[in-house]
Amino acid sequence: MSETTVPVTRTASVADAPVIAESSTSRGRRARIALRTLQVVLALFYVVASALPKLIAHPSAVEGFDKMGWGSAGMYVIGVLELAGGIALLIPVLQSVAAVALSGLMVGAFVVQLSYFDGENAATPLILIVPLALIAWARRRHNADLLRLVRRRA
């Protein structure tokens, strides 16, 4: 019986594959610009259109949270979470984690819309999850940087 040897070649894993948003080609540059623009637009949305009305106790926000029975404490907590997530979308080492956290918040918003408001605006959180998932995936390499920072501090 003869043994055949096959040269072992290293196959590229998903982690080794270049991310288009980080490549140096013109396509990669356009993708980086588009992704950064998307992050800025989402950050502005979360800070200005979503968190601010809750943090300044706009009557529409107060009414909604009273209807749910969460009161002003729940309104301020959600407002602070949205504000922190919107800001974190602009900080390179936090971008991916912020997108995942905001996605989780949007899942909760979807459930709340269905439960308390008869699905009136239930599509909005679902629509927002799509670009947040894209950001989380495209910026996933920053998770390793964040993990290194956390380990260094511990």
Side-chain angles (χ1 to χ4, degrees):
M1 224 178 185
S2 70
E3 289 185 34
T4 19
T5 58
V6 177
V8 177
T9 58
R10 184 173 179 260
T11 58
S13 67
V14 174
D16 295 335
V19 177
I20 291 175
E22 296 177 2
S23 69
S24 60
T25 64
S26 64
R27 179 179 171 198
R29 184 174 184 279
R30 286 191 307 267
R32 272 195 320 275
I33 292 169
L35 188 62
R36 178 53 86 177
T37 302
L38 180 63
Q39 286 176 244
V40 169
V41 168
L42 281 174
L44 285 172
F45 169 78
Y46 279 106
V47 170
V48 176
S50 195
L52 189 62
K54 293 172 184 80
L55 296 175
I56 64 170
H58 189 273
S60 64
V62 172
E63 179 185 335
F65 278 87
D66 283 344
K67 183 177 180 179
M68 292 184 292
W70 294 11
S72 61
M75 179 179 64
Y76 290 125
V77 167
I78 299 296
V80 167
L81 290 173
E82 290 175 340
L83 177 66
I87 292 169
L89 278 175
L90 302 176
I91 300 171
V93 75
L94 297 175
Q95 294 167 346
S96 180
V97 172
V100 170
L102 285 170
S103 294
L105 200 59
M106 291 302 98
V107 169
F110 173 72
V111 171
V112 165
Q113 287 294 325
L114 290 179
S115 303
Y116 293 100
F117 301 105
D118 300 322
E120 187 178 315
N121 295 314
T124 303
L126 292 180
I127 291 168
L128 288 170
I129 288 174
V130 173
L132 288 170
L134 175 67
I135 292 167
W137 179 80
R139 303 295 191 195
R140 67 191 181 278
R141 290 187 182 219
H142 292 291
N143 292 340
D145 298 335
L146 180 60
L147 190 57
R148 275 193 295 277
L149 283 172
V150 169
R151 284 184 179 161
R152 211 177 306 156
R153 302 251 188 240

